């Protein structure tokens, strides 16, 4: 009997062009991480459940409903990571990364995350994130650098129509004053909230801001504004962040209702949203400061800040907006075609020349009709066909056909690499 098994709901196989988009996103981010002096950290894909339940917050959707939690054969409770920060903090504390002269510790990660959510466009059960954590300083300049780095990633990827939202949700002390007023405002409106939010109202009303029900979010947004309740020190900190962002010429908008969905955030929070996406799934990335989390994990009492970017959503939007992956020369793919087996030697010469020059290329192994080869080249996303026939062999040349405009050029072997790069600039 044949097996007819699909990938699990909310997961997908990634191949072909999608891999090229992801490679481009990851390498663009990696280059920027290097420039900002961040080092990579790889943590396990699963952790003991408390790593997430205690840090992300018991009342969050993630902990309440979305974690892939299971018991191993010894009865230990484990959870597939739903996000990166908690694991990075656990790893930094466990591996004693905090010395006295190395602060802030600056780490980045790229990995798959798992949340049992209702799958829809831009929302998966397994998805990929890249993120950074800078631990050991509460200097507002660091906040601005982190936000600048987030904005730089999207700029380098070729996005233009994005908004960077920034807010401060204060420290634990000044947030208390806000929550008191917020509860007062919400109590008479409790009947209009969803069941989950009615529970949140008593235990953790901030989570109403990121409820999946739009009506609950709206009600929260129309209430008192967190920034008005900031203590003096949080206020000064936030001014430091916005002043530094302005000095760095980073465009941002203050959003007084931005809180973000994790309990561990303090002070600065931020999000980068696309104006081309539906508002339920328009966040491409976001983050914030978490000044109390490291101590909570048994580490030193040390402030920190980080962000995470959704790789799948970013790749999806790049494709929708027609933003290419890679520079022109990185995107180029050449298909070397010859119909004549006697020309194998010349074919290998050209193949070596192109590959040694960093041009991605392939050859045809079976000679079929030229028409069939063009069809195949188009199907496999080649941009240029390099044709080698008797005439080309005799003249030590190559005929290039740009598959976008079908223009054709016969070029000497010596100049062919340069010509390919020139065509690449127009693809
Ligand atoms: P968060 O970890 O919730 O702050 O999310 C950071 C980014 O990860 C979001 O802005 C999304 O781009 C992405 N993301 C979060 N959850 C999902 C999901 N279920 N599917 C796809 N991308 C997601």
């Amino acid at each position: 009997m044949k097996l007819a098994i699909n990938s699990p709901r909310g997961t997908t196989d990634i191949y072909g062009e999608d891999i090229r988009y992801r490679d481009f996103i990851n390498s663009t981010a990696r280059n920027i991480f290097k420039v900002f002096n961040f080092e990579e950290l790889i943590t396990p894909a699963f952790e003991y459940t408390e790593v997430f339940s205690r840090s992300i917050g018991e009342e969050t959707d993630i902990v309440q409903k979305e974690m892939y939690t299971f018991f191993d054969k010894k009865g230990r409770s484990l959870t597939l990571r739903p996000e990166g920060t908690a694991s990075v903090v656990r790893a930094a504390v466990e591996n004693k990364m905090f010395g006295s002269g190395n602060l802030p510790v600056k780490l980045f990660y790229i990995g798959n995350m798992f949340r049992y959510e209702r799958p829809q466009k831009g929302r998966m059960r397994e998805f990929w994130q890249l993120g950074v954590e800078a631990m050991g300083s509460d200097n507002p300049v660091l906040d601005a650098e982190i936000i600048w780095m987030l904005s730089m990633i999207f700029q380098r990827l070729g996005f233009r129509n994005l908004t960077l939202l920034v807010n401060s949700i204060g420290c634990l002390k000044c947030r208390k004053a806000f929550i008191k007023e917020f509860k007062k405002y919400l109590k008479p409106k409790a009947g209009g909230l969803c069941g989950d939010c009615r529970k949140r109202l008593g235990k953790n009303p901030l989570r109403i801001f990121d409820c999946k029900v739009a009506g609950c979010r709206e009600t929260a947004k129309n209430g008192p504004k967190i920034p008005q309740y900031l203590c003096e020190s949080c206020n000064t900190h936030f001014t430091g962040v916005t002043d530094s962002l302005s000095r760095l010429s980073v465009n941002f908008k203050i959003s007084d209702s931005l809180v973000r969905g994790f309990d561990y955030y303090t002070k600065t929070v931020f999000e980068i949203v696309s104006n081309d996406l539906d508002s339920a799934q328009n966040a491409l990335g976001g983050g914030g400061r978490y000044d109390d989390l490291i101590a909570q994990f048994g580490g030193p009492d040390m402030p920190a800040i980080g962000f995470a970017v959704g790789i799948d959503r970013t790749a999806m939007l790049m494709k929708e907006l027609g933003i290419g992956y890679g520079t022109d020369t990185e995107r180029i793919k050449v298909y070397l075609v010859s119909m004549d087996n006697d020309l194998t030697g010349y074919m290998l010469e050209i193949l070596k020349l192109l590959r040694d020059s960093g041009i991605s290329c392939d050859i045809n192994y079976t000679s079929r009709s030229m028409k069939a080869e063009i069809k195949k080249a188009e199907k496999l996303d080649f941009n240029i066909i390099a044709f080698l026939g008797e005439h080309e062999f005799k003249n030590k040349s190559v005929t290039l056909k740009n598959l976008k405009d079908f223009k054709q050029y016969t070029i000497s072997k010596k100049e062919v690499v340069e010509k390919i790069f020139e065509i690449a600039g127009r693809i």
Side-chain angles (χ1 to χ4, degrees), residues 208-221:
I208 299 175
F209 278 100
D210 38 71
C211 178
K212 294 220 165 65
V213 179
C216 297
R217 290 199 305 271
E218 258 333 281
T219 306
K221 276 185 189 172

Side-chain angles (χ1 to χ4, degrees), residues 62 82-83 115 117 122-125 127 129 260 262 265 283-286 308-310 312-313:
I62 294 185
E83 60 103 42
R115 294 182 196 171
E117 298 200 72
R123 197 181 285 282
M124 306 282 295
R125 289 186 173 168
F127 59 97
Q129 283 187 337
R260 312 250 329 125
F262 304 125
Y265 284 133
L284 295 173
V309 167
D312 314 75
R313 212 176 277 181

